Amino acid sequence: MEGKDEDVRLGANKFTERQPIGTAAQSQDDAKDYKEPPPAPLFEPEELTSWSFYRAGIAEFFATFLFLYITVLTVMGVVRSKEADGNTCKTVGIQGIAWAFGGMIFALVYCTAGISGGHINPAVTFGLFLARKLSLTRAIFYMVMQCLGAICGAGVVKGFQPKPYERLGGGANVVSDGYSKGDGLGAEIVGTFILVYTVFSATDAKRSARDSHVPILAPLPIGFAVFLVHLATIPITGTGINPARSLGAAIIFNKDKAWDDHWIFWVGPFIGAALAALYHQVVIRAIPFKSK
């Protein structure tokens, strides 16, 4: 029990180990007496001496590693089949790629929510940081571990099929022919807004206090949002909405084409995440307008 107490005291959400994505939940009995949890401190030095802090970072690393491993392998399989005979029907196809991304997010958020909050995406971490759901210390640590996990995941894929990986683009995100950089940036902003808005809504502390099923079902709408955004934007940018995913593939592929538009896959998701955080906090929850 000592480890769990420490997680509750110093963990990503600070209230209950099982609540996903860094928000607080209360029981049905407490719904009437719900109180807004205090914002996370900007700096929390005591986190750096806690095993739960490093355990959460390791969970983010492995979750992002597995995410890149499955999704980039799926992308490579579809592209390779298309190159071979001009027909993607023998593989999972574009819809299958979208399912791979959405399905992995669903599974990984479910598995890691109680440890790290299950972010698996620097844009999600950034949005939650802006909403003061976690400290700057933890946010930076998560982002670093997510990027390292993504690099390792893409590296393993290249190790399995080095020649096809180089020839087929390595799953790197680029703006497709026929679309401008502005089109790509807009797609990344809107796509990430949808994802992060879903994260906030699916894990909202006040909804959790009223509806006990919300924390249990939270990974499902998040994964489904990733699936739908991929269906819409794969033809435009290959769908980033996750800077770690884009960085890992770009570093391992390491060709000029992957780097030419790479800024889009950081700027777009961070703008989208910031807008989602602002919209949820100001419009949906109206937190700045509530009386003390």
Side-chain angles (χ1 to χ4, degrees):
M1 290 298 293
E2 181 179 356
K4 182 175 181 180
D5 292 341
E6 183 182 37
D7 288 343
V8 172
R9 185 171 63 88
L10 295 173
N13 47 49
K14 292 175 159 293
F15 291 90
T16 171
E17 185 179 10
R18 296 185 58 197
Q19 173 65 19
I21 317 294
T23 59
Q26 297 179 2
S27 68
Q28 287 275 45
D29 295 336
D30 296 331
K32 295 180 180 179
D33 301 322
Y34 171 79
K35 294 181 180 180
E36 198 69 40
L42 189 61
F43 297 102
E44 196 166 13
E46 62 181 350
E47 283 187 317
L48 300 177
T49 63
S50 167
W51 165 238
S52 83
F53 176 78
Y54 297 101
R55 186 169 71 111
I58 293 170
E60 287 293 309
F61 172 89
F62 276 104
T64 316
F65 169 86
L66 295 173
F67 178 62
L68 266 288
Y69 171 75
I70 292 296
T71 56
V72 175
L73 266 179
T74 304
V75 171
M76 291 292 93
V78 171
V79 177
R80 188 172 188 179
S81 174
K82 186 175 181 180
E83 183 187 64
D85 58 13
N87 184 358
T88 61
C89 292
K90 293 183 178 180
T91 69
V92 294
I94 298 298
Q95 293 84 359
I97 293 175
W99 276 120
F101 278 89
M104 279 303 291
I105 288 297
F106 167 71
L108 293 170
V109 169
Y110 177 83
C111 290
T112 61
I115 301 173
S116 66
H119 299 189
I120 323 169
N121 184 337
V124 171
T125 300
F126 180 66
L128 292 168
F129 164 71
L130 292 180
R132 302 294 301 276
K133 303 295 184 182
L134 70 165
S135 68
L136 178 62
T137 310
R138 186 174 289 264
I140 293 174
F141 184 48
Y142 277 15
M143 291 181 190
V144 171
M145 297 301 282
Q146 289 158 359
C147 289
L148 291 175
I151 294 168
C152 292
V156 170
V157 174
K158 182 178 179 179
F160 282 167
Q161 44 183 12
K163 292 182 179 179
Y165 187 91
E166 294 291 339
R167 188 174 72 253
L168 303 176
N173 288 121
V174 297
V175 177
S176 301
D177 294 338
Y179 294 94
S180 68
K181 294 183 187 296
D183 295 333
L185 181 62
E188 290 297 304
I189 291 173
V190 176
T192 311
F193 178 92
I194 294 169
L195 169 60
V196 178
Y197 175 44
T198 304
V199 168
F200 274 105
S201 297
T203 61
D204 185 274
K206 193 171 184 178
R207 289 186 64 201
S208 299
R210 184 181 67 244
D211 304 319
S212 61
H213 64 278
V214 169
I216 299 172
L217 295 179
L220 182 60
I222 295 169
F224 202 63
V226 172
F227 164 70
L228 292 174
V229 171
H230 275 76
L231 281 183
T233 60
I234 282 176
I236 304 173
T237 61
T239 309
I241 68 170
N242 184 334
R245 173 262 186 272
S246 300
L247 179 66
I251 285 179
I252 299 302
F253 182 57
N254 198 27
K255 296 290 189 296
D256 290 342
K257 185 178 181 181
W259 294 114
D260 288 343
D261 302 325
H262 186 69
W263 64 272
I264 290 172
F265 301 100
W266 284 86
V267 175
F270 273 54
I271 292 175
L275 292 174
L278 180 67
Y279 178 71
H280 182 79
Q281 297 293 91
V282 175
V283 178
I284 303 301
R285 295 296 307 281
I287 289 176
F289 307 108
K290 292 180 180 177
S291 59
K292 301 292 184 182

PDB file of all heavy atoms in Angstrom, residues 177-201:
ATOM      1  N   ASP A 177       1.408  15.614 -51.879  1.00  0.00           N
ATOM      2  CA  ASP A 177       1.359  16.381 -53.120  1.00  0.00           C
ATOM      3  C   ASP A 177      -0.057  16.879 -53.370  1.00  0.00           C
ATOM      4  O   ASP A 177      -1.037  16.152 -53.172  1.00  0.00           O
ATOM      5  CB  ASP A 177       1.816  15.516 -54.301  1.00  0.00           C
ATOM      6  CG  ASP A 177       3.293  15.117 -54.200  1.00  0.00           C
ATOM      7  OD1 ASP A 177       4.033  15.819 -53.488  1.00  0.00           O
ATOM      8  OD2 ASP A 177       3.676  14.100 -54.815  1.00  0.00           O
ATOM      9  N   GLY A 178      -0.145  18.118 -53.819  1.00  0.00           N
ATOM     10  CA  GLY A 178      -1.450  18.707 -54.073  1.00  0.00           C
ATOM     11  C   GLY A 178      -1.981  19.522 -52.917  1.00  0.00           C
ATOM     12  O   GLY A 178      -3.020  20.190 -53.041  1.00  0.00           O
ATOM     13  N   TYR A 179      -1.309  19.472 -51.773  1.00  0.00           N
ATOM     14  CA  TYR A 179      -1.706  20.248 -50.606  1.00  0.00           C
ATOM     15  C   TYR A 179      -0.592  21.227 -50.243  1.00  0.00           C
ATOM     16  O   TYR A 179       0.596  20.911 -50.383  1.00  0.00           O
ATOM     17  CB  TYR A 179      -1.994  19.347 -49.410  1.00  0.00           C
ATOM     18  CG  TYR A 179      -3.191  18.441 -49.595  1.00  0.00           C
ATOM     19  CD1 TYR A 179      -3.041  17.147 -50.073  1.00  0.00           C
ATOM     20  CD2 TYR A 179      -4.466  18.889 -49.280  1.00  0.00           C
ATOM     21  CE1 TYR A 179      -4.137  16.313 -50.234  1.00  0.00           C
ATOM     22  CE2 TYR A 179      -5.571  18.056 -49.441  1.00  0.00           C
ATOM     23  CZ  TYR A 179      -5.397  16.773 -49.917  1.00  0.00           C
ATOM     24  OH  TYR A 179      -6.481  15.968 -50.084  1.00  0.00           O
ATOM     25  N   SER A 180      -0.959  22.395 -49.764  1.00  0.00           N
ATOM     26  CA  SER A 180       0.030  23.391 -49.354  1.00  0.00           C
ATOM     27  C   SER A 180       0.444  23.163 -47.909  1.00  0.00           C
ATOM     28  O   SER A 180      -0.198  22.398 -47.174  1.00  0.00           O
ATOM     29  CB  SER A 180      -0.552  24.797 -49.502  1.00  0.00           C
ATOM     30  OG  SER A 180      -1.596  25.006 -48.553  1.00  0.00           O
ATOM     31  N   LYS A 181       1.500  23.870 -47.495  1.00  0.00           N
ATOM     32  CA  LYS A 181       1.919  23.779 -46.101  1.00  0.00           C
ATOM     33  C   LYS A 181       0.827  24.309 -45.179  1.00  0.00           C
ATOM     34  O   LYS A 181       0.630  23.798 -44.070  1.00  0.00           O
ATOM     35  CB  LYS A 181       3.218  24.555 -45.896  1.00  0.00           C
ATOM     36  CG  LYS A 181       4.414  23.967 -46.619  1.00  0.00           C
ATOM     37  CD  LYS A 181       5.679  24.755 -46.307  1.00  0.00           C
ATOM     38  CE  LYS A 181       6.851  24.284 -47.167  1.00  0.00           C
ATOM     39  NZ  LYS A 181       7.207  22.884 -46.878  1.00  0.00           N
ATOM     40  N   GLY A 182       0.104  25.327 -45.651  1.00  0.00           N
ATOM     41  CA  GLY A 182      -1.019  25.834 -44.860  1.00  0.00           C
ATOM     42  C   GLY A 182      -2.115  24.800 -44.681  1.00  0.00           C
ATOM     43  O   GLY A 182      -2.720  24.702 -43.601  1.00  0.00           O
ATOM     44  N   ASP A 183      -2.370  24.016 -45.736  1.00  0.00           N
ATOM     45  CA  ASP A 183      -3.354  22.936 -45.621  1.00  0.00           C
ATOM     46  C   ASP A 183      -2.920  21.932 -44.565  1.00  0.00           C
ATOM     47  O   ASP A 183      -3.725  21.491 -43.732  1.00  0.00           O
ATOM     48  CB  ASP A 183      -3.517  22.219 -46.964  1.00  0.00           C
ATOM     49  CG  ASP A 183      -4.103  23.105 -48.047  1.00  0.00           C
ATOM     50  OD1 ASP A 183      -4.829  24.055 -47.705  1.00  0.00           O
ATOM     51  OD2 ASP A 183      -3.830  22.850 -49.235  1.00  0.00           O
ATOM     52  N   GLY A 184      -1.643  21.572 -44.610  1.00  0.00           N
ATOM     53  CA  GLY A 184      -1.127  20.600 -43.651  1.00  0.00           C
ATOM     54  C   GLY A 184      -1.183  21.129 -42.227  1.00  0.00           C
ATOM     55  O   GLY A 184      -1.578  20.411 -41.302  1.00  0.00           O
ATOM     56  N   LEU A 185      -0.810  22.397 -42.060  1.00  0.00           N
ATOM     57  CA  LEU A 185      -0.840  22.994 -40.725  1.00  0.00           C
ATOM     58  C   LEU A 185      -2.268  23.043 -40.193  1.00  0.00           C
ATOM     59  O   LEU A 185      -2.527  22.701 -39.036  1.00  0.00           O
ATOM     60  CB  LEU A 185      -0.245  24.402 -40.778  1.00  0.00           C
ATOM     61  CG  LEU A 185      -0.180  25.163 -39.444  1.00  0.00           C
ATOM     62  CD1 LEU A 185       0.718  24.426 -38.453  1.00  0.00           C
ATOM     63  CD2 LEU A 185       0.318  26.587 -39.663  1.00  0.00           C
ATOM     64  N   GLY A 186      -3.195  23.449 -41.045  1.00  0.00           N
ATOM     65  CA  GLY A 186      -4.591  23.502 -40.616  1.00  0.00           C
ATOM     66  C   GLY A 186      -5.134  22.138 -40.234  1.00  0.00           C
ATOM     67  O   GLY A 186      -5.861  22.003 -39.236  1.00  0.00           O
ATOM     68  N   ALA A 187      -4.778  21.110 -41.017  1.00  0.00           N
ATOM     69  CA  ALA A 187      -5.244  19.754 -40.708  1.00  0.00           C
ATOM     70  C   ALA A 187      -4.706  19.286 -39.367  1.00  0.00           C
ATOM     71  O   ALA A 187      -5.416  18.635 -38.586  1.00  0.00           O
ATOM     72  CB  ALA A 187      -4.820  18.792 -41.816  1.00  0.00           C
ATOM     73  N   GLU A 188      -3.446  19.617 -39.074  1.00  0.00           N
ATOM     74  CA  GLU A 188      -2.849  19.208 -37.796  1.00  0.00           C
ATOM     75  C   GLU A 188      -3.460  19.959 -36.619  1.00  0.00           C
ATOM     76  O   GLU A 188      -3.673  19.384 -35.549  1.00  0.00           O
ATOM     77  CB  GLU A 188      -1.332  19.428 -37.847  1.00  0.00           C
ATOM     78  CG  GLU A 188      -0.605  18.459 -38.766  1.00  0.00           C
ATOM     79  CD  GLU A 188      -0.731  17.022 -38.305  1.00  0.00           C
ATOM     80  OE1 GLU A 188      -0.370  16.737 -37.150  1.00  0.00           O
ATOM     81  OE2 GLU A 188      -1.207  16.190 -39.092  1.00  0.00           O
ATOM     82  N   ILE A 189      -3.760  21.245 -36.823  1.00  0.00           N
ATOM     83  CA  ILE A 189      -4.377  22.025 -35.748  1.00  0.00           C
ATOM     84  C   ILE A 189      -5.757  21.474 -35.411  1.00  0.00           C
ATOM     85  O   ILE A 189      -6.071  21.198 -34.246  1.00  0.00           O
ATOM     86  CB  ILE A 189      -4.468  23.514 -36.149  1.00  0.00           C
ATOM     87  CG1 ILE A 189      -3.072  24.140 -36.198  1.00  0.00           C
ATOM     88  CG2 ILE A 189      -5.346  24.283 -35.147  1.00  0.00           C
ATOM     89  CD1 ILE A 189      -3.067  25.561 -36.746  1.00  0.00           C
ATOM     90  N   VAL A 190      -6.585  21.311 -36.429  1.00  0.00           N
ATOM     91  CA  VAL A 190      -7.960  20.850 -36.189  1.00  0.00           C
ATOM     92  C   VAL A 190      -7.966  19.413 -35.672  1.00  0.00           C
ATOM     93  O   VAL A 190      -8.713  19.074 -34.737  1.00  0.00           O
ATOM     94  CB  VAL A 190      -8.800  20.974 -37.470  1.00  0.00           C
ATOM     95  CG1 VAL A 190     -10.199  20.402 -37.250  1.00  0.00           C
ATOM     96  CG2 VAL A 190      -8.893  22.427 -37.922  1.00  0.00           C
ATOM     97  N   GLY A 191      -7.129  18.558 -36.253  1.00  0.00           N
ATOM     98  CA  GLY A 191      -7.081  17.166 -35.809  1.00  0.00           C
ATOM     99  C   GLY A 191      -6.667  17.040 -34.355  1.00  0.00           C
ATOM    100  O   GLY A 191      -7.259  16.265 -33.587  1.00  0.00           O
ATOM    101  N   THR A 192      -5.662  17.819 -33.951  1.00  0.00           N
ATOM    102  CA  THR A 192      -5.216  17.756 -32.558  1.00  0.00           C
ATOM    103  C   THR A 192      -6.239  18.382 -31.628  1.00  0.00           C
ATOM    104  O   THR A 192      -6.424  17.922 -30.497  1.00  0.00           O
ATOM    105  CB  THR A 192      -3.855  18.449 -32.388  1.00  0.00           C
ATOM    106  OG1 THR A 192      -2.947  17.985 -33.385  1.00  0.00           O
ATOM    107  CG2 THR A 192      -3.277  18.158 -31.019  1.00  0.00           C
ATOM    108  N   PHE A 193      -6.911  19.427 -32.092  1.00  0.00           N
ATOM    109  CA  PHE A 193      -7.990  20.020 -31.290  1.00  0.00           C
ATOM    110  C   PHE A 193      -9.040  18.967 -30.966  1.00  0.00           C
ATOM    111  O   PHE A 193      -9.494  18.845 -29.818  1.00  0.00           O
ATOM    112  CB  PHE A 193      -8.618  21.187 -32.044  1.00  0.00           C
ATOM    113  CG  PHE A 193      -9.773  21.827 -31.310  1.00  0.00           C
ATOM    114  CD1 PHE A 193      -9.566  22.899 -30.462  1.00  0.00           C
ATOM    115  CD2 PHE A 193     -11.070  21.339 -31.451  1.00  0.00           C
ATOM    116  CE1 PHE A 193     -10.629  23.487 -29.773  1.00  0.00           C
ATOM    117  CE2 PHE A 193     -12.131  21.913 -30.768  1.00  0.00           C
ATOM    118  CZ  PHE A 193     -11.911  22.989 -29.930  1.00  0.00           C
ATOM    119  N   ILE A 194      -9.443  18.207 -31.975  1.00  0.00           N
ATOM    120  CA  ILE A 194     -10.451  17.158 -31.759  1.00  0.00           C
ATOM    121  C   ILE A 194      -9.968  16.147 -30.733  1.00  0.00           C
ATOM    122  O   ILE A 194     -10.709  15.759 -29.816  1.00  0.00           O
ATOM    123  CB  ILE A 194     -10.788  16.470 -33.093  1.00  0.00           C
ATOM    124  CG1 ILE A 194     -11.491  17.446 -34.041  1.00  0.00           C
ATOM    125  CG2 ILE A 194     -11.651  15.227 -32.864  1.00  0.00           C
ATOM    126  CD1 ILE A 194     -11.626  16.936 -35.458  1.00  0.00           C
ATOM    127  N   LEU A 195      -8.722  15.718 -30.866  1.00  0.00           N
ATOM    128  CA  LEU A 195      -8.175  14.733 -29.933  1.00  0.00           C
ATOM    129  C   LEU A 195      -8.122  15.272 -28.511  1.00  0.00           C
ATOM    130  O   LEU A 195      -8.618  14.630 -27.571  1.00  0.00           O
ATOM    131  CB  LEU A 195      -6.775  14.308 -30.387  1.00  0.00           C
ATOM    132  CG  LEU A 195      -5.966  13.492 -29.371  1.00  0.00           C
ATOM    133  CD1 LEU A 195      -6.678  12.199 -29.013  1.00  0.00           C
ATOM    134  CD2 LEU A 195      -4.563  13.221 -29.900  1.00  0.00           C
ATOM    135  N   VAL A 196      -7.525  16.436 -28.319  1.00  0.00           N
ATOM    136  CA  VAL A 196      -7.327  16.953 -26.966  1.00  0.00           C
ATOM    137  C   VAL A 196      -8.654  17.384 -26.346  1.00  0.00           C
ATOM    138  O   VAL A 196      -8.878  17.208 -25.141  1.00  0.00           O
ATOM    139  CB  VAL A 196      -6.298  18.107 -26.975  1.00  0.00           C
ATOM    140  CG1 VAL A 196      -6.118  18.686 -25.579  1.00  0.00           C
ATOM    141  CG2 VAL A 196      -4.953  17.611 -27.506  1.00  0.00           C
ATOM    142  N   TYR A 197      -9.556  17.912 -27.150  1.00  0.00           N
ATOM    143  CA  TYR A 197     -10.899  18.233 -26.650  1.00  0.00           C
ATOM    144  C   TYR A 197     -11.592  16.966 -26.153  1.00  0.00           C
ATOM    145  O   TYR A 197     -12.256  16.963 -25.100  1.00  0.00           O
ATOM    146  CB  TYR A 197     -11.705  18.904 -27.762  1.00  0.00           C
ATOM    147  CG  TYR A 197     -13.148  19.174 -27.425  1.00  0.00           C
ATOM    148  CD1 TYR A 197     -13.518  19.701 -26.190  1.00  0.00           C
ATOM    149  CD2 TYR A 197     -14.153  18.911 -28.357  1.00  0.00           C
ATOM    150  CE1 TYR A 197     -14.852  19.959 -25.887  1.00  0.00           C
ATOM    151  CE2 TYR A 197     -15.488  19.164 -28.060  1.00  0.00           C
ATOM    152  CZ  TYR A 197     -15.833  19.687 -26.821  1.00  0.00           C
ATOM    153  OH  TYR A 197     -17.142  19.933 -26.529  1.00  0.00           O
ATOM    154  N   THR A 198     -11.434  15.871 -26.892  1.00  0.00           N
ATOM    155  CA  THR A 198     -12.008  14.599 -26.461  1.00  0.00           C
ATOM    156  C   THR A 198     -11.385  14.119 -25.162  1.00  0.00           C
ATOM    157  O   THR A 198     -12.075  13.605 -24.275  1.00  0.00           O
ATOM    158  CB  THR A 198     -11.833  13.536 -27.555  1.00  0.00           C
ATOM    159  OG1 THR A 198     -12.412  13.992 -28.778  1.00  0.00           O
ATOM    160  CG2 THR A 198     -12.478  12.217 -27.150  1.00  0.00           C
ATOM    161  N   VAL A 199     -10.069  14.290 -25.036  1.00  0.00           N
ATOM    162  CA  VAL A 199      -9.377  13.906 -23.801  1.00  0.00           C
ATOM    163  C   VAL A 199      -9.958  14.663 -22.612  1.00  0.00           C
ATOM    164  O   VAL A 199     -10.293  14.080 -21.576  1.00  0.00           O
ATOM    165  CB  VAL A 199      -7.856  14.163 -23.922  1.00  0.00           C
ATOM    166  CG1 VAL A 199      -7.185  14.056 -22.556  1.00  0.00           C
ATOM    167  CG2 VAL A 199      -7.228  13.182 -24.891  1.00  0.00           C
ATOM    168  N   PHE A 200     -10.086  15.977 -22.754  1.00  0.00           N
ATOM    169  CA  PHE A 200     -10.644  16.774 -21.663  1.00  0.00           C
ATOM    170  C   PHE A 200     -12.076  16.347 -21.334  1.00  0.00           C
ATOM    171  O   PHE A 200     -12.440  16.206 -20.161  1.00  0.00           O
ATOM    172  CB  PHE A 200     -10.622  18.262 -22.037  1.00  0.00           C
ATOM    173  CG  PHE A 200      -9.331  18.950 -21.724  1.00  0.00           C
ATOM    174  CD1 PHE A 200      -8.444  19.279 -22.729  1.00  0.00           C
ATOM    175  CD2 PHE A 200      -9.001  19.284 -20.422  1.00  0.00           C
ATOM    176  CE1 PHE A 200      -7.256  19.914 -22.455  1.00  0.00           C
ATOM    177  CE2 PHE A 200      -7.804  19.925 -20.125  1.00  0.00           C
ATOM    178  CZ  PHE A 200      -6.927  20.244 -21.148  1.00  0.00           C
ATOM    179  N   SER A 201     -12.883  16.157 -22.351  1.00  0.00           N
ATOM    180  CA  SER A 201     -14.292  15.820 -22.121  1.00  0.00           C
ATOM    181  C   SER A 201     -14.456  14.429 -21.521  1.00  0.00           C
ATOM    182  O   SER A 201     -15.287  14.209 -20.638  1.00  0.00           O
ATOM    183  CB  SER A 201     -15.063  15.913 -23.441  1.00  0.00           C
ATOM    184  OG  SER A 201     -15.040  17.227 -23.947  1.00  0.00           O
TER     185      SER A 201
END
